[in-house]
Amino acid sequence: MSSIDIGINKKDREKVAEGLKKLLADTYTLYLQTHNFHWNVTGPRFRELHLMFEEHYVELATAVDDIAERIRTLGVSAPGTYKAFAELSSIKEKDGVPDAMEMTEILTHNHELVVKTCREVLKLAEAADDESSLALVSDRMRIHEKTAWMLRAMTQ
Protein backbone atom coordinates (compact mmCIF):
# COMPACT_ATOMS: atom_id res chain seq x y z
CA MET A 1 0.00 0.00 0.00
CA SER A 2 1.31 3.44 -0.86
CA SER A 3 1.80 6.05 1.82
CA ILE A 4 -0.56 8.97 2.25
CA ASP A 5 0.93 12.26 1.07
CA ILE A 6 -1.82 14.90 1.24
CA GLY A 7 0.17 17.60 3.00
CA ILE A 8 -0.87 16.63 6.53
CA ASN A 9 1.58 14.65 8.63
CA LYS A 10 0.56 11.30 10.08
CA LYS A 11 0.32 12.53 13.68
CA ASP A 12 -2.04 15.37 12.71
CA ARG A 13 -4.11 13.11 10.45
CA GLU A 14 -4.56 10.71 13.37
CA LYS A 15 -5.59 13.52 15.75
CA VAL A 16 -8.17 14.82 13.32
CA ALA A 17 -9.43 11.28 12.66
CA GLU A 18 -9.87 10.68 16.39
CA GLY A 19 -12.05 13.78 16.60
CA LEU A 20 -13.97 12.69 13.53
CA LYS A 21 -14.57 9.30 15.15
CA LYS A 22 -16.39 11.09 17.98
CA LEU A 23 -18.39 13.08 15.45
CA LEU A 24 -19.22 9.87 13.59
CA ALA A 25 -20.36 8.20 16.82
CA ASP A 26 -22.51 11.20 17.77
CA THR A 27 -24.00 11.34 14.29
CA TYR A 28 -24.78 7.64 14.13
CA THR A 29 -26.29 7.63 17.62
CA LEU A 30 -28.41 10.66 16.74
CA TYR A 31 -29.44 8.96 13.48
CA LEU A 32 -30.58 5.87 15.38
CA GLN A 33 -32.43 7.92 17.99
CA THR A 34 -34.14 10.05 15.36
CA HIS A 35 -35.20 6.96 13.44
CA ASN A 36 -36.56 5.42 16.64
CA PHE A 37 -38.57 8.56 17.38
CA HIS A 38 -39.84 8.61 13.77
CA TRP A 39 -41.20 5.10 14.24
CA ASN A 40 -42.69 5.69 17.68
CA VAL A 41 -44.01 9.26 17.78
CA THR A 42 -47.71 9.62 18.58
CA GLY A 43 -50.13 12.42 19.36
CA PRO A 44 -51.77 15.39 17.69
CA ARG A 45 -48.54 16.40 15.91
CA PHE A 46 -47.85 12.88 14.68
CA ARG A 47 -47.76 13.60 10.96
CA GLU A 48 -45.67 16.75 11.27
CA LEU A 49 -43.11 15.14 13.59
CA HIS A 50 -43.09 11.79 11.77
CA LEU A 51 -42.21 13.53 8.49
CA MET A 52 -39.70 15.91 10.08
CA PHE A 53 -37.90 13.10 11.89
CA GLU A 54 -37.71 11.22 8.59
CA GLU A 55 -36.09 14.22 6.89
CA HIS A 56 -33.59 14.40 9.73
CA TYR A 57 -32.59 10.73 9.78
CA VAL A 58 -32.22 10.62 5.99
CA GLU A 59 -29.85 13.60 6.18
CA LEU A 60 -27.95 11.99 9.07
CA ALA A 61 -27.53 8.73 7.11
CA THR A 62 -25.69 10.63 4.39
CA ALA A 63 -23.61 12.45 6.98
CA VAL A 64 -22.51 9.19 8.61
CA ASP A 65 -21.08 8.01 5.30
CA ASP A 66 -19.34 11.34 4.59
CA ILE A 67 -17.69 11.42 8.02
CA ALA A 68 -16.58 7.77 7.87
CA GLU A 69 -15.12 8.29 4.40
CA ARG A 70 -13.16 11.33 5.61
CA ILE A 71 -11.70 9.23 8.44
CA ARG A 72 -10.64 6.63 5.86
CA THR A 73 -9.19 9.35 3.62
CA LEU A 74 -6.97 10.34 6.55
CA GLY A 75 -5.68 6.76 6.69
CA VAL A 76 -7.48 5.64 9.84
CA SER A 77 -10.09 2.91 10.28
CA ALA A 78 -13.60 4.18 10.95
CA PRO A 79 -15.52 2.72 13.90
CA GLY A 80 -18.55 0.75 12.85
CA THR A 81 -20.04 -1.10 15.81
CA TYR A 82 -22.65 -0.15 18.38
CA LYS A 83 -20.07 -0.81 21.09
CA ALA A 84 -17.56 1.59 19.55
CA PHE A 85 -20.21 4.24 18.96
CA ALA A 86 -21.49 3.93 22.55
CA GLU A 87 -17.95 4.40 23.88
CA LEU A 88 -17.22 7.42 21.67
CA SER A 89 -20.55 9.24 21.61
CA SER A 90 -21.52 12.12 23.86
CA ILE A 91 -25.18 11.23 23.21
CA LYS A 92 -26.80 8.87 25.66
CA GLU A 93 -29.64 6.55 24.75
CA LYS A 94 -33.10 7.14 26.17
CA ASP A 95 -34.93 4.15 27.59
CA GLY A 96 -38.56 3.67 26.70
CA VAL A 97 -40.64 5.80 24.39
CA PRO A 98 -40.95 9.43 25.46
CA ASP A 99 -43.93 11.54 24.46
CA ALA A 100 -43.70 13.75 21.37
CA MET A 101 -42.70 16.90 23.28
CA GLU A 102 -39.92 15.09 25.14
CA MET A 103 -38.70 13.57 21.86
CA THR A 104 -38.37 17.07 20.45
CA GLU A 105 -36.53 18.29 23.56
CA ILE A 106 -34.17 15.29 23.54
CA LEU A 107 -33.34 15.77 19.88
CA THR A 108 -32.77 19.50 20.40
CA HIS A 109 -30.32 18.78 23.21
CA ASN A 110 -28.54 16.09 21.21
CA HIS A 111 -28.15 18.26 18.11
CA GLU A 112 -26.58 20.85 20.40
CA LEU A 113 -24.21 18.19 21.73
CA VAL A 114 -23.17 17.39 18.16
CA VAL A 115 -22.49 21.10 17.58
CA LYS A 116 -20.13 21.03 20.58
CA THR A 117 -18.37 17.97 19.17
CA CYS A 118 -18.03 19.78 15.84
CA ARG A 119 -16.39 22.73 17.58
CA GLU A 120 -13.82 20.39 19.16
CA VAL A 121 -13.04 18.74 15.83
CA LEU A 122 -12.76 22.11 14.09
CA LYS A 123 -9.93 23.05 16.45
CA LEU A 124 -8.07 19.83 15.61
CA ALA A 125 -8.58 20.27 11.88
CA GLU A 126 -7.53 23.89 12.01
CA ALA A 127 -4.33 23.03 13.90
CA ALA A 128 -3.56 20.38 11.24
CA ASP A 129 -4.29 22.81 8.38
CA ASP A 130 -6.84 20.25 7.17
CA GLU A 131 -9.19 22.31 5.01
CA SER A 132 -11.20 19.29 3.83
CA SER A 133 -12.08 18.22 7.37
CA LEU A 134 -12.74 21.85 8.29
CA ALA A 135 -15.24 22.18 5.45
CA LEU A 136 -16.98 18.90 6.29
CA VAL A 137 -17.26 19.65 10.00
CA SER A 138 -18.25 23.28 9.46
CA ASP A 139 -21.08 22.15 7.19
CA ARG A 140 -22.18 19.57 9.75
CA MET A 141 -22.14 22.16 12.52
CA ARG A 142 -24.31 24.55 10.49
CA ILE A 143 -26.86 21.78 9.83
CA HIS A 144 -27.03 20.75 13.50
CA GLU A 145 -27.34 24.36 14.68
CA LYS A 146 -30.23 24.95 12.26
CA THR A 147 -31.93 21.69 13.19
CA ALA A 148 -31.66 22.50 16.90
CA TRP A 149 -33.17 25.92 16.24
CA MET A 150 -36.09 24.40 14.34
CA LEU A 151 -36.71 21.82 17.05
CA ARG A 152 -36.49 24.50 19.78
CA ALA A 153 -39.05 26.57 17.92
CA MET A 154 -41.48 23.66 18.06
CA THR A 155 -41.33 23.52 21.85
CA GLN A 156 -42.14 27.19 22.44
Side-chain angles (χ1 to χ4, degrees), residues 53-101:
F53 294 164
E54 181 176 10
E55 290 172 8
H56 292 175
Y57 79 70
V58 167
E59 192 282 327
L60 289 164
T62 301
V64 165
D65 198 49
D66 290 343
I67 297 164
E69 288 177 355
R70 183 63 193 161
I71 294 168
R72 294 298 299 134
T73 300
L74 294 171
V76 176
S77 294
T81 65
Y82 290 122
K83 180 180 178 184
F85 291 148
E87 291 171 358
L88 290 165
S89 182
S90 62
I91 296 172
K92 302 306 172 207
E93 291 188 25
K94 176 71 177 168
D95 291 331
V97 179
D99 66 33
M101 180 61 81

Side-chain angles (χ1 to χ4, degrees), residues 8 20 22 41 53 68 70 102 114 116-117 153:
I8 305 169
L20 287 170
K22 291 177 182 177
V41 69
F53 294 164
R70 183 63 193 161
E102 188 179 358
V114 179
K116 293 175 184 176
T117 299

Side-chain angles (χ1 to χ4, degrees), residues 7-153:
I8 305 169
N9 68 52
K10 182 178 180 183
K11 182 179 175 185
D12 285 343
R13 283 188 287 109
E14 290 173 348
K15 283 181 185 177
V16 173
E18 288 305 311
L20 287 170
K21 285 180 182 183
K22 291 177 182 177
L23 180 58
L24 177 60
D26 279 357
T27 304
Y28 194 89
T29 304
L30 185 56
Y31 160 82
L32 187 61
Q33 185 176 67
T34 304
H35 213 156
N36 175 31
F37 290 173
H38 163 80
W39 289 327
N40 291 300
V41 69
T42 59
R45 298 174 79 184
F46 166 79
R47 181 167 171 71
E48 176 184 9
L49 291 173
H50 182 75
L51 293 173
M52 183 179 69
F53 294 164
E54 181 176 10
E55 290 172 8
H56 292 175
Y57 79 70
V58 167
E59 192 282 327
L60 289 164
T62 301
V64 165
D65 198 49
D66 290 343
I67 297 164
E69 288 177 355
R70 183 63 193 161
I71 294 168
R72 294 298 299 134
T73 300
L74 294 171
V76 176
S77 294
T81 65
Y82 290 122
K83 180 180 178 184
F85 291 148
E87 291 171 358
L88 290 165
S89 182
S90 62
I91 296 172
K92 302 306 172 207
E93 291 188 25
K94 176 71 177 168
D95 291 331
V97 179
D99 66 33
M101 180 61 81
E102 188 179 358
M103 286 178 179
T104 305
E105 292 168 351
I106 290 167
L107 291 175
T108 301
H109 173 72
N110 288 340
H111 277 279
E112 291 171 343
L113 286 175
V114 179
V115 169
K116 293 175 184 176
T117 299
C118 286
R119 291 188 186 287
E120 292 172 15
V121 180
L122 282 173
K123 292 174 190 171
L124 298 170
E126 188 172 33
D129 198 26
D130 180 354
E131 290 295 327
S132 295
S133 294
L134 277 168
L136 171 67
V137 176
S138 179
D139 288 347
R140 295 301 322 145
M141 186 168 69
R142 180 183 47 79
I143 289 166
H144 289 288
E145 287 175 339
K146 184 176 180 179
T147 303
W149 159 62
M150 290 182 166
L151 288 163
R152 261 192 317 277

